[in-house]
Structure formats: C-alpha cells, structure tokens
Amino acid sequence: MSGINKVILVGHLGKDPEIRHMEGGVSKASFPLATSEFYTKDGQRVEQTEWHNIVVWRGLADIAEKYLHKGKLVYVEGKLRTRSWDDKEGNKRYMTEVVADNFTMLGRRSDHENQGGNESYGGGNTNRGGSGNSRDAAGGSEGLNVRADDNPEDDLPF
Amino acid sequence: MSGINKVILVGHLGKDPEIRHMEGGVSKASFPLATSEFYTKDGQRVEQTEWHNIVVWRGLADIAEKYLHKGKLVYVEGKLRTRSWDDKEGNKRYMTEVVADNFTMLGRRSDHENQGGNESYGGGNTNRGGSGNSRDAAGGSEGLNVRADDNPEDDLPF
Amino acid sequence: MSGINKVILVGHLGKDPEIRHMEGGVSKASFPLATSEFYTKDGQRVEQTEWHNIVVWRGLADIAEKYLHKGKLVYVEGKLRTRSWDDKEGNKRYMTEVVADNFTMLGRRSDHENQGGNESYGGGNTNRGGSGNSRDAAGGSEGLNVRADDNPEDDLPF
Amino acid sequence: MSGINKVILVGHLGKDPEIRHMEGGVSKASFPLATSEFYTKDGQRVEQTEWHNIVVWRGLADIAEKYLHKGKLVYVEGKLRTRSWDDKEGNKRYMTEVVADNFTMLGRRSDHENQGGNESYGGGNTNRGGSGNSRDAAGGSEGLNVRADDNPEDDLPF
DNA sequence: TTTT
DNA sequence: TTTT
C-alpha cells in the first residue's frame, strides 16, 4: 500500500546551493539546511542545531540556484530518501537526504530579492488550482514558492 | 511574503464524493471527511469527531469520484480556503473548506480496489522526480496517490 | 479509529492576540493569521490572502499574549475545529478555527524580542525528549517555540 | 532562530520494536518503518520502498513496545536527528533517525487490538486541550494516539 | 525488514 | 455523515 513520506523544515541555508548538470540535461541542486532549537539546561540557554542535506531536481534546482543563498531562511517540503553504498573498506554506508518538492522563501523581501536587477518574476503561469482564479504555487518578488511538479514551461516564474 | 497554508488529514469519508462539472469543463468533487480522536473522561472513553469539507478540482476530482467512497480511509493533503457571502438576512456567512492537492488511500486493498473491474491502473506517467528512476506521485492497484498538479495526460494513472 | 487532523501555517498576525480568562481560570487567546500566496494572472502579479482564526489555550495563551504581536511572522501547528450554532434567524452557522498546540516565531530577533526588557526566558524546563540532553520544545530569546502539552509549571519558559 | 524540523510518515513496521532500558531508567524503542510509493515505468508498475529508522523515548517507548508490531500500519510524527561517529577506519559515519513524538495506529481494529485480553485502555487522562472538554491526544481501544510530551502518569492510556 |  |  502507498504510504506517506513527508518532511517539513524551516531553517537557514548553510551554504549556497551547489548545482550539477546530470546526463540527460537534468539539473540537481543540493545544499545544507540548519534547523535549530533552543532549550534550557541548568539555567543556561542551549542551542541544538540539526543539519539536513537538501536535494532539489530539475527546474526547481535552477530556481534554487538562482534564489536560495547562504544564510537565507527557507521553508522546505519534501521526502526522505536514504541512499546506501559500500565504502572501500566494505562497510555499508548510508546517507539520508531530503528531496524537496516545494520550497518557499521566508523572511524580509530584502533578504531574497533578485540582486541582479529586474523584478519581473512571475511568468506565464497558467491557472491550475481551481475555479478560474486560484493557484497552488506561485512566485513573486516577495515570497517565492515553487514546486517540483510544476511544468518547466509555465513554472519558472521568472 | 508568501506563507504556508497546509492541512494534513487522515480520516474516513462520510459520503461518496459529489461531482460537479463547472463551466469551462472543470470538474469539482467534494465530500465530508471525519477525523476522530478518543479521550477518556471520568473513566469513560469518549469519541470526538471533527468533520471537514474536502474539495478536489480538475483531474483529481475525477479520480476522487472513481476511487473514493463512503467509509474509506484516506490521507488528504491540502490547504484551507474560507469562502464568505452575505445570506438573505444580510449576515456575513463563512464556510471553510480543505482544497486537496494530494490524497492517498489507506487501508486494505480490498477496501479500495476497482469494483468495476479491470486493474490496469498506472498509465503513461513520465518521470519527473529525479535522476531518471524516481517519481513523486504514483497510482497503482494498491495504494492510490494522486496530486493536483499532475498533468491530466500523464496523470490519470488509469 | 483515530484519525489525523493537522494544520501547519506560516503567516503574519493581523492583530495582537485577544486574551480572555474563562471560568476555571483557563486562558484563551485568539488572533487572525494571514497566509498569502502570489500568482500571475494576465501578466499581473496577484496576491491572494487567506485569513485563519487561531485559538490558543492555557499556558500557551499567556505566551501568545506576551510575545505574538500584530505583523509578526509565526509558524503555527494545530488542528481544525469547526463550531456550529443556530443564529437568531434559525440558520445553522459555522466557524472554523485552528486550535494551535505549538507555535514558533520566525523572522528577525529584533522582531520578537522582549520589548519590556529582560531576556531571562527559558525557565525550569525539564528534559523530556530523549537520552538526557535533548528537548522537543524550547523558548529562547531568538526563536520561541512552545507547545500546548507543556506543563504550565515548566512550560512558561520565562 | 528556532526552526522547524518535522517528519510525517504513514507506513508499515518492518519488525517489532526493540526496546532498551537506558541508564537512568529511560526507555528507548526503535523499529524500521517502510513507506512505499508506486509508479509506472515502461508500462510496469514499480514499487519503491523507503525505510526509516524510528526512535521513541520514555513512556512512548513502552507504548510502542506494547502496541506496535511488525506489519502494522502506523502514522508517525517526529523530527529528524542525524548522529555521527568515526568508524574504526577513521571515516565519518552518519545515521539519520526519526525521533517520534507522536504516533497513531491506523488500519483495522483487529490489526492492533490488545491480543492479551482486556480492553481497559484509557486511564486517568486529565484534560489539557481546551475549555474543559477537549483533548489533544488520546488512547482508546481503537485508534491509539500517543505523544511524547504526555506525562507518564496520565499518559499511559492503559 | 513492511504492505499490496 | 465516517470509522472502531
């Protein structure tokens, strides 16, 4: 039976996304994301940071490369994927990633606006969400929300 | 700034989905979904049921009509949408719905298999999720998982 | 069978929380929260804002009153609850709320620090989350994360 | 700033939970959970299963040991936690787990009822959720929903 | 190692 | 109006 495998994170990028162009022209971006919590132990405030490996494919990868930068606050939604391989000592190694299918920039507009210049984000998106005037995913000059399933043609909101 | 508006439900359908074909050929399905919790009060087990109005658009609506039936257990993911209007007494009225963009049937296969007959679900889905062999959303004879953004052509997994 | 009824929102408060002290000494805070999305229609960027009624009970209500203010960006996790009543015209009226059991302030520290002065948040929280040094929920001078289930005594992190 | 680190899974246990009693009397249960998706490739239905390491602490661990068994369908909510260590070859090794703070049994009652006998689950839970008659988490003879934050005394719903 |  |  089908199951559910969903991850929701809000955190800051530890580095700029690193992009790779795979065979077949598929793009893959990856970056570390930190989620911190604070608790109090013996009267001291303690921060505990968890690091996540985020992976983004295809059109989303290109958007990630362009708009997500080190230090930015971002909401990420995706699924867990654990890869395994045998290392040269013959040990089974595991690496768990969050394959993002949706992300949204949070924080001040000035934190994530298009440094390069123009602001004409938002392209020829077609309406898919409802009765003629709603939409599921959108990109704008403040708040950038993009999804893995979006069709490259009408998706790249820029 | 963009925000996040996400609802995750697991519950049973109170009725079969009701489908309407809107102007423009858009389909809309709607059904009530019950989520129950149990707690103990004064030594008695008490059930508290919450009812949700679920709305599904377009291709997903057709899938909902075909596969979701009264009593079935389903995972629903969507967003809150509150509509308002003035009633004939001039009062502002509100109605909150969950606009689903993804659902998955849970429970036994016998609970949700295609009563009508053939099992040849799973169509010409193209790969969109990754490096050539993963996929985000899938439909199959057990476990039906569908999404609002899917392209009707490669989406209807049947 | 038990179900799941979960709401996840990230948005801005439309007003300061309004607090009420119920019979029995229970506190209840409520406030409107806006989640916006942007989409492009006919070449124009359009914002669509959804308003949610957030309700917070008990110790969390007091924290909400103290730290959440109009305009602040907040992550809210909770459940849907629809109340109904008959209005004076005899119509059935419905009102859907999000009963929060967890919230976290997002955004700049300067956006939500204790204006009054001291920073001695984080009180006698006991460790509940793990092997002796982790915690599920925490409050701090940046990033305030609180939960409904927390015991008032060790919960009010201030 | 505080972040969000949330995982939501629905899947089947691959094994019975394994329980360990740590120093200090803290219990820890762990088990593998499978989440499957189906997609169609070259006309063939393909199943892709992801395995997750679930960890449960304290009172929840004892409940998990008692009620969660191999093959059962369960909803799990928790957070990601990656542990690292150096192996004997001096390589950095990583292991990512989902630390559950909430789970709910799904599926038929017959799938998860108390095989041993009595049904007197539901204990002296106190009301914590609201205005005097609601509750956030509950356990019952059908539908078992438990949370990490619950006080052991009123939590063990059995 | 689950489930269908 | 569901489910157990």
Side-chain angles (χ1 to χ4, degrees):
Chain A
M1 204 197 53
S2 263
I4 302 300
N5 174 357
K6 180 161 283 287
V7 179
I8 288 173
L9 304 172
V10 177
H12 292 92
L13 278 85
K15 294 184 185 171
D16 282 355
E18 193 171 289
I19 194 143
R20 291 181 52 194
H21 298 284
M22 318 299 279
E23 69 290 358
V26 176
S27 310
K28 175 190 180 183
S30 53
F31 56 87
L33 188 81
T35 57
S36 302
E37 20 174 317
F38 294 84
Y39 62 96
T40 303
K41 188 188 172 77
D42 305 332
Q44 297 289 124
R45 196 161 65 74
V46 180
E47 176 173 4
Q48 182 170 336
T49 297
E50 190 66 29
W51 286 96
H52 311 273
N53 303 306
I54 312 295
V55 174
V56 183
W57 289 95
R58 294 164 48 98
L60 253 193
D62 301 319
I63 298 173
E65 184 191 25
K66 196 162 182 184
Y67 293 96
L68 300 184
H69 298 297
K70 180 177 174 171
K72 295 311 176 205
L73 181 64
V74 64
Y75 168 94
V76 170
E77 196 175 317
K79 71 176 72 166
L80 290 170
R81 192 69 79 206
T82 298
R83 295 185 287 123
S84 70
W85 67 96
D86 296 304
D87 68 12
K88 54 183 181 296
E89 285 87 7
N91 297 314
K92 197 77 172 176
R93 304 285 290 274
Y94 297 94
M95 157 85 154
T96 297
E97 299 168 323
V98 173
V99 181
D101 45 44
N102 188 4
F103 63 78
T104 296
M105 308 234 22
L106 300 174
R108 303 292 173 87
R109 177 179 179 163
S110 58
D111 287 348
H112 56 269
E113 66 192 335
N114 186 353
Q115 279 101 347
N118 86 71
E119 266 194 82
S120 52
Y121 308 157
N125 288 303
T126 51
N127 189 301
R128 280 168 296 207
S131 57
N133 52 15
S134 76
R135 245 195 120 266
D136 272 12
S141 52
E142 326 95 330
L144 171 59
N145 181 316
V146 284
R147 304 184 54 144
D149 294 324
D150 286 345
N151 183 324
E153 270 73 35
D154 55 21
D155 243 33
L156 282 157
F158 320 104
Chain B
M1 203 197 56
S2 262
I4 302 300
N5 173 358
K6 180 162 284 288
V7 179
I8 287 174
L9 304 172
V10 176
H12 292 91
L13 279 84
K15 294 185 187 172
D16 281 354
E18 194 170 288
I19 194 141
R20 290 182 53 193
H21 299 285
M22 319 298 278
E23 68 289 358
V26 177
S27 311
K28 176 191 180 183
S30 53
F31 56 88
L33 188 81
T35 58
S36 302
E37 21 175 314
F38 294 83
Y39 62 96
T40 303
K41 188 189 171 74
D42 305 330
Q44 298 289 125
R45 196 161 64 75
V46 181
E47 174 174 6
Q48 182 168 335
T49 296
E50 191 65 29
W51 286 96
H52 311 274
N53 303 304
I54 312 296
V55 174
V56 183
W57 289 96
R58 293 164 50 98
L60 253 194
D62 300 320
I63 298 173
E65 183 191 26
K66 196 161 180 184
Y67 292 95
L68 300 184
H69 298 297
K70 178 175 173 172
K72 295 313 174 204
L73 182 65
V74 64
Y75 168 95
V76 170
E77 196 175 317
K79 70 176 72 166
L80 290 169
R81 192 67 81 205
T82 298
R83 295 186 287 124
S84 70
W85 67 96
D86 296 305
D87 70 11
K88 54 182 180 295
E89 285 87 7
N91 297 313
K92 198 76 170 179
R93 303 286 289 274
Y94 297 93
M95 157 85 156
T96 298
E97 298 167 325
V98 174
V99 181
D101 44 44
N102 187 4
F103 62 79
T104 296
M105 307 237 18
L106 300 173
R108 303 293 173 88
R109 176 179 179 164
S110 58
D111 288 349
H112 56 270
E113 66 192 336
N114 186 352
Q115 280 101 347
N118 88 71
E119 266 194 81
S120 53
Y121 309 156
N125 288 305
T126 53
N127 191 302
R128 278 169 300 206
S131 58
N133 53 14
S134 75
R135 244 196 119 263
D136 271 12
S141 53
E142 329 93 330
L144 171 60
N145 181 315
V146 285
R147 305 183 53 145
D149 295 324
D150 285 344
N151 183 324
E153 271 73 34
D154 56 20
D155 244 31
L156 282 158
F158 321 103
Chain C
M1 205 196 54
S2 262
I4 302 301
N5 174 358
K6 179 161 285 287
V7 179
I8 288 174
L9 304 172
V10 176
H12 291 93
L13 278 85
K15 294 184 186 171
D16 282 355
E18 193 171 289
I19 195 143
R20 290 181 53 193
H21 298 284
M22 319 299 279
E23 70 288 0
V26 177
S27 310
K28 176 190 179 183
S30 53
F31 56 87
L33 188 81
T35 58
S36 301
E37 19 175 318
F38 294 82
Y39 62 96
T40 302
K41 188 187 171 77
D42 305 330
Q44 298 288 126
R45 196 161 64 76
V46 181
E47 175 174 5
Q48 183 170 334
T49 297
E50 190 66 29
W51 286 96
H52 310 274
N53 303 305
I54 312 295
V55 174
V56 182
W57 289 97
R58 294 164 49 100
L60 254 193
D62 300 320
I63 298 173
E65 183 192 26
K66 195 161 181 184
Y67 292 96
L68 300 183
H69 298 297
K70 180 177 173 171
K72 296 311 176 206
L73 181 65
V74 63
Y75 168 94
V76 170
E77 196 175 317
K79 70 176 73 165
L80 290 170
R81 193 67 81 206
T82 298
R83 295 186 287 124
S84 70
W85 68 96
D86 297 304
D87 69 12
K88 54 183 181 296
E89 286 86 7
N91 296 314
K92 197 77 172 178
R93 303 286 289 274
Y94 297 93
M95 157 87 157
T96 298
E97 299 168 323
V98 174
V99 181
D101 45 43
N102 188 4
F103 62 79
T104 296
M105 308 236 18
L106 301 172
R108 303 293 173 87
R109 177 178 180 164
S110 57
D111 287 348
H112 55 270
E113 67 192 334
N114 185 353
Q115 280 101 347
N118 86 71
E119 264 195 83
S120 53
Y121 309 158
N125 287 304
T126 52
N127 189 302
R128 276 168 301 204
S131 58
N133 54 13
S134 76
R135 245 195 119 264
D136 272 11
S141 52
E142 327 95 329
L144 171 59
N145 181 315
V146 285
R147 304 184 52 145
D149 295 324
D150 286 346
N151 183 323
E153 270 74 33
D154 57 20
D155 244 32
L156 281 158
F158 321 103
Chain D
M1 204 199 54
S2 262
I4 302 300
N5 174 357
K6 179 161 286 285
V7 179
I8 287 174
L9 305 171
V10 176
H12 292 92
L13 280 84
K15 293 185 186 172
D16 282 354
E18 194 171 290
I19 195 143
R20 290 181 52 194
H21 298 285
M22 319 298 279
E23 70 289 0
V26 176
S27 310
K28 175 190 180 183
S30 53
F31 56 87
L33 189 80
T35 58
S36 303
E37 19 174 318
F38 295 84
Y39 63 95
T40 303
K41 187 189 173 75
D42 305 331
Q44 297 288 124
R45 196 162 64 74
V46 181
E47 174 174 6
Q48 183 169 335
T49 296
E50 190 65 28
W51 286 97
H52 311 274
N53 303 305
I54 312 295
V55 174
V56 183
W57 288 96
R58 294 165 49 96
L60 254 193
D62 300 319
I63 298 174
E65 183 192 26
K66 196 161 181 183
Y67 291 96
L68 299 185
H69 298 296
K70 178 176 174 171
K72 296 311 176 205
L73 181 65
V74 65
Y75 168 95
V76 170
E77 196 175 317
K79 70 176 71 167
L80 290 170
R81 192 69 80 205
T82 298
R83 296 186 287 124
S84 70
W85 68 97
D86 296 304
D87 69 12
K88 54 183 181 297
E89 285 86 7
N91 296 314
K92 197 77 171 176
R93 303 286 289 276
Y94 296 93
M95 156 86 155
T96 298
E97 298 168 324
V98 174
V99 181
D101 45 44
N102 188 4
F103 62 78
T104 296
M105 308 234 21
L106 299 173
R108 303 293 172 86
R109 177 180 180 164
S110 57
D111 287 348
H112 55 271
E113 66 193 335
N114 187 353
Q115 281 100 346
N118 86 70
E119 265 194 82
S120 54
Y121 309 155
N125 287 304
T126 53
N127 190 302
R128 277 168 300 206
S131 58
N133 53 15
S134 76
R135 246 195 118 263
D136 272 11
S141 52
E142 329 92 330
L144 172 60
N145 181 316
V146 284
R147 304 184 54 144
D149 295 323
D150 286 345
N151 183 324
E153 271 72 35
D154 56 21
D155 245 34
L156 282 157
F158 320 104

PDB file of all heavy atoms in Angstrom, chain D residues 83-99:
ATOM      1  N   ARG D  83      22.898  11.317  13.725  1.00  0.00           N
ATOM      2  CA  ARG D  83      24.021  11.070  14.619  1.00  0.00           C
ATOM      3  C   ARG D  83      25.251  10.774  13.775  1.00  0.00           C
ATOM      4  O   ARG D  83      25.141  10.217  12.690  1.00  0.00           O
ATOM      5  CB  ARG D  83      23.721   9.890  15.538  1.00  0.00           C
ATOM      6  CG  ARG D  83      22.544  10.206  16.466  1.00  0.00           C
ATOM      7  CD  ARG D  83      22.316   9.109  17.477  1.00  0.00           C
ATOM      8  NE  ARG D  83      21.729   7.921  16.898  1.00  0.00           N
ATOM      9  CZ  ARG D  83      22.260   6.706  16.981  1.00  0.00           C
ATOM     10  NH1 ARG D  83      23.422   6.518  17.607  1.00  0.00           N
ATOM     11  NH2 ARG D  83      21.644   5.673  16.452  1.00  0.00           N
ATOM     12  N   SER D  84      26.402  11.148  14.276  1.00  0.00           N
ATOM     13  CA  SER D  84      27.619  10.843  13.528  1.00  0.00           C
ATOM     14  C   SER D  84      28.672  10.303  14.473  1.00  0.00           C
ATOM     15  O   SER D  84      28.651  10.572  15.673  1.00  0.00           O
ATOM     16  CB  SER D  84      28.133  12.085  12.816  1.00  0.00           C
ATOM     17  OG  SER D  84      28.642  13.000  13.745  1.00  0.00           O
ATOM     18  N   TRP D  85      29.567   9.519  13.941  1.00  0.00           N
ATOM     19  CA  TRP D  85      30.676   8.964  14.722  1.00  0.00           C
ATOM     20  C   TRP D  85      31.789   8.589  13.751  1.00  0.00           C
ATOM     21  O   TRP D  85      31.573   8.572  12.538  1.00  0.00           O
ATOM     22  CB  TRP D  85      30.202   7.734  15.522  1.00  0.00           C
ATOM     23  CG  TRP D  85      29.848   6.563  14.662  1.00  0.00           C
ATOM     24  CD1 TRP D  85      30.638   5.505  14.352  1.00  0.00           C
ATOM     25  CD2 TRP D  85      28.601   6.339  13.994  1.00  0.00           C
ATOM     26  NE1 TRP D  85      29.955   4.629  13.524  1.00  0.00           N
ATOM     27  CE2 TRP D  85      28.709   5.124  13.295  1.00  0.00           C
ATOM     28  CE3 TRP D  85      27.389   7.048  13.911  1.00  0.00           C
ATOM     29  CZ2 TRP D  85      27.671   4.606  12.517  1.00  0.00           C
ATOM     30  CZ3 TRP D  85      26.358   6.527  13.144  1.00  0.00           C
ATOM     31  CH2 TRP D  85      26.510   5.318  12.458  1.00  0.00           C
ATOM     32  N   ASP D  86      32.918   8.308  14.283  1.00  0.00           N
ATOM     33  CA  ASP D  86      34.032   7.868  13.441  1.00  0.00           C
ATOM     34  C   ASP D  86      34.143   6.355  13.540  1.00  0.00           C
ATOM     35  O   ASP D  86      34.193   5.806  14.643  1.00  0.00           O
ATOM     36  CB  ASP D  86      35.338   8.525  13.917  1.00  0.00           C
ATOM     37  CG  ASP D  86      35.265  10.037  13.747  1.00  0.00           C
ATOM     38  OD1 ASP D  86      35.008  10.496  12.627  1.00  0.00           O
ATOM     39  OD2 ASP D  86      35.432  10.757  14.758  1.00  0.00           O
ATOM     40  N   ASP D  87      34.153   5.715  12.413  1.00  0.00           N
ATOM     41  CA  ASP D  87      34.267   4.247  12.458  1.00  0.00           C
ATOM     42  C   ASP D  87      35.732   3.861  12.640  1.00  0.00           C
ATOM     43  O   ASP D  87      36.621   4.715  12.713  1.00  0.00           O
ATOM     44  CB  ASP D  87      33.629   3.594  11.229  1.00  0.00           C
ATOM     45  CG  ASP D  87      34.399   3.852   9.947  1.00  0.00           C
ATOM     46  OD1 ASP D  87      35.545   4.340  10.004  1.00  0.00           O
ATOM     47  OD2 ASP D  87      33.842   3.550   8.877  1.00  0.00           O
ATOM     48  N   LYS D  88      35.965   2.566  12.730  1.00  0.00           N
ATOM     49  CA  LYS D  88      37.340   2.145  13.071  1.00  0.00           C
ATOM     50  C   LYS D  88      38.345   2.406  11.955  1.00  0.00           C
ATOM     51  O   LYS D  88      39.541   2.428  12.199  1.00  0.00           O
ATOM     52  CB  LYS D  88      37.361   0.676  13.522  1.00  0.00           C
ATOM     53  CG  LYS D  88      36.757  -0.308  12.570  1.00  0.00           C
ATOM     54  CD  LYS D  88      36.776  -1.728  13.189  1.00  0.00           C
ATOM     55  CE  LYS D  88      36.177  -2.748  12.233  1.00  0.00           C
ATOM     56  NZ  LYS D  88      34.733  -2.483  11.944  1.00  0.00           N
ATOM     57  N   GLU D  89      37.850   2.637  10.747  1.00  0.00           N
ATOM     58  CA  GLU D  89      38.765   3.046   9.673  1.00  0.00           C
ATOM     59  C   GLU D  89      38.975   4.570   9.677  1.00  0.00           C
ATOM     60  O   GLU D  89      39.663   5.104   8.803  1.00  0.00           O
ATOM     61  CB  GLU D  89      38.224   2.627   8.302  1.00  0.00           C
ATOM     62  CG  GLU D  89      38.358   1.141   8.009  1.00  0.00           C
ATOM     63  CD  GLU D  89      37.179   0.341   8.552  1.00  0.00           C
ATOM     64  OE1 GLU D  89      36.197   0.977   9.035  1.00  0.00           O
ATOM     65  OE2 GLU D  89      37.235  -0.905   8.519  1.00  0.00           O
ATOM     66  N   GLY D  90      38.335   5.243  10.633  1.00  0.00           N
ATOM     67  CA  GLY D  90      38.522   6.687  10.717  1.00  0.00           C
ATOM     68  C   GLY D  90      37.612   7.483   9.795  1.00  0.00           C
ATOM     69  O   GLY D  90      37.773   8.693   9.626  1.00  0.00           O
ATOM     70  N   ASN D  91      36.628   6.786   9.225  1.00  0.00           N
ATOM     71  CA  ASN D  91      35.675   7.503   8.380  1.00  0.00           C
ATOM     72  C   ASN D  91      34.534   8.060   9.228  1.00  0.00           C
ATOM     73  O   ASN D  91      34.098   7.422  10.185  1.00  0.00           O
ATOM     74  CB  ASN D  91      35.062   6.548   7.345  1.00  0.00           C
ATOM     75  CG  ASN D  91      36.094   6.017   6.382  1.00  0.00           C
ATOM     76  OD1 ASN D  91      36.906   6.774   5.860  1.00  0.00           O
ATOM     77  ND2 ASN D  91      36.078   4.693   6.168  1.00  0.00           N
ATOM     78  N   LYS D  92      34.072   9.202   8.818  1.00  0.00           N
ATOM     79  CA  LYS D  92      32.908   9.796   9.463  1.00  0.00           C
ATOM     80  C   LYS D  92      31.678   9.022   9.002  1.00  0.00           C
ATOM     81  O   LYS D  92      31.453   8.864   7.797  1.00  0.00           O
ATOM     82  CB  LYS D  92      32.785  11.265   9.038  1.00  0.00           C
ATOM     83  CG  LYS D  92      31.887  12.077   9.928  1.00  0.00           C
ATOM     84  CD  LYS D  92      32.589  12.425  11.214  1.00  0.00           C
ATOM     85  CE  LYS D  92      31.815  13.415  12.062  1.00  0.00           C
ATOM     86  NZ  LYS D  92      32.521  13.628  13.340  1.00  0.00           N
ATOM     87  N   ARG D  93      30.934   8.538   9.934  1.00  0.00           N
ATOM     88  CA  ARG D  93      29.716   7.798   9.584  1.00  0.00           C
ATOM     89  C   ARG D  93      28.499   8.566  10.063  1.00  0.00           C
ATOM     90  O   ARG D  93      28.543   9.228  11.112  1.00  0.00           O
ATOM     91  CB  ARG D  93      29.743   6.412  10.246  1.00  0.00           C
ATOM     92  CG  ARG D  93      30.975   5.598   9.872  1.00  0.00           C
ATOM     93  CD  ARG D  93      30.882   5.070   8.466  1.00  0.00           C
ATOM     94  NE  ARG D  93      29.883   4.034   8.388  1.00  0.00           N
ATOM     95  CZ  ARG D  93      30.106   2.757   8.688  1.00  0.00           C
ATOM     96  NH1 ARG D  93      31.315   2.365   9.060  1.00  0.00           N
ATOM     97  NH2 ARG D  93      29.141   1.874   8.606  1.00  0.00           N
ATOM     98  N   TYR D  94      27.407   8.437   9.331  1.00  0.00           N
ATOM     99  CA  TYR D  94      26.188   9.146   9.679  1.00  0.00           C
ATOM    100  C   TYR D  94      25.023   8.180   9.743  1.00  0.00           C
ATOM    101  O   TYR D  94      24.947   7.211   8.978  1.00  0.00           O
ATOM    102  CB  TYR D  94      25.857  10.216   8.629  1.00  0.00           C
ATOM    103  CG  TYR D  94      26.890  11.298   8.559  1.00  0.00           C
ATOM    104  CD1 TYR D  94      27.943  11.230   7.655  1.00  0.00           C
ATOM    105  CD2 TYR D  94      26.822  12.386   9.418  1.00  0.00           C
ATOM    106  CE1 TYR D  94      28.904  12.217   7.594  1.00  0.00           C
ATOM    107  CE2 TYR D  94      27.785  13.381   9.373  1.00  0.00           C
ATOM    108  CZ  TYR D  94      28.816  13.293   8.465  1.00  0.00           C
ATOM    109  OH  TYR D  94      29.765  14.274   8.421  1.00  0.00           O
ATOM    110  N   MET D  95      24.106   8.482  10.605  1.00  0.00           N
ATOM    111  CA  MET D  95      22.897   7.678  10.724  1.00  0.00           C
ATOM    112  C   MET D  95      21.758   8.639  11.045  1.00  0.00           C
ATOM    113  O   MET D  95      21.833   9.373  12.034  1.00  0.00           O
ATOM    114  CB  MET D  95      23.122   6.693  11.869  1.00  0.00           C
ATOM    115  CG  MET D  95      21.881   6.186  12.523  1.00  0.00           C
ATOM    116  SD  MET D  95      21.259   4.753  11.599  1.00  0.00           S
ATOM    117  CE  MET D  95      20.341   3.942  12.913  1.00  0.00           C
ATOM    118  N   THR D  96      20.781   8.654  10.186  1.00  0.00           N
ATOM    119  CA  THR D  96      19.647   9.565  10.388  1.00  0.00           C
ATOM    120  C   THR D  96      18.454   8.787  10.910  1.00  0.00           C
ATOM    121  O   THR D  96      18.104   7.735  10.382  1.00  0.00           O
ATOM    122  CB  THR D  96      19.285  10.258   9.069  1.00  0.00           C
ATOM    123  OG1 THR D  96      20.400  11.036   8.637  1.00  0.00           O
ATOM    124  CG2 THR D  96      18.083  11.174   9.240  1.00  0.00           C
ATOM    125  N   GLU D  97      17.857   9.306  11.955  1.00  0.00           N
ATOM    126  CA  GLU D  97      16.689   8.671  12.559  1.00  0.00           C
ATOM    127  C   GLU D  97      15.534   9.666  12.626  1.00  0.00           C
ATOM    128  O   GLU D  97      15.733  10.872  12.577  1.00  0.00           O
ATOM    129  CB  GLU D  97      17.005   8.250  13.995  1.00  0.00           C
ATOM    130  CG  GLU D  97      18.118   7.231  14.088  1.00  0.00           C
ATOM    131  CD  GLU D  97      18.626   7.046  15.507  1.00  0.00           C
ATOM    132  OE1 GLU D  97      18.679   8.035  16.269  1.00  0.00           O
ATOM    133  OE2 GLU D  97      18.967   5.902  15.836  1.00  0.00           O
ATOM    134  N   VAL D  98      14.366   9.114  12.764  1.00  0.00           N
ATOM    135  CA  VAL D  98      13.183   9.935  13.031  1.00  0.00           C
ATOM    136  C   VAL D  98      12.822   9.721  14.498  1.00  0.00           C
ATOM    137  O   VAL D  98      12.439   8.613  14.895  1.00  0.00           O
ATOM    138  CB  VAL D  98      12.002   9.520  12.127  1.00  0.00           C
ATOM    139  CG1 VAL D  98      10.739  10.283  12.521  1.00  0.00           C
ATOM    140  CG2 VAL D  98      12.351   9.778  10.660  1.00  0.00           C
ATOM    141  N   VAL D  99      12.992  10.757  15.283  1.00  0.00           N
ATOM    142  CA  VAL D  99      12.629  10.683  16.694  1.00  0.00           C
ATOM    143  C   VAL D  99      11.151  11.035  16.793  1.00  0.00           C
ATOM    144  O   VAL D  99      10.757  12.179  16.569  1.00  0.00           O
ATOM    145  CB  VAL D  99      13.473  11.654  17.538  1.00  0.00           C
ATOM    146  CG1 VAL D  99      13.100  11.534  19.007  1.00  0.00           C
ATOM    147  CG2 VAL D  99      14.959  11.373  17.339  1.00  0.00           C
TER     148      VAL D  99
END
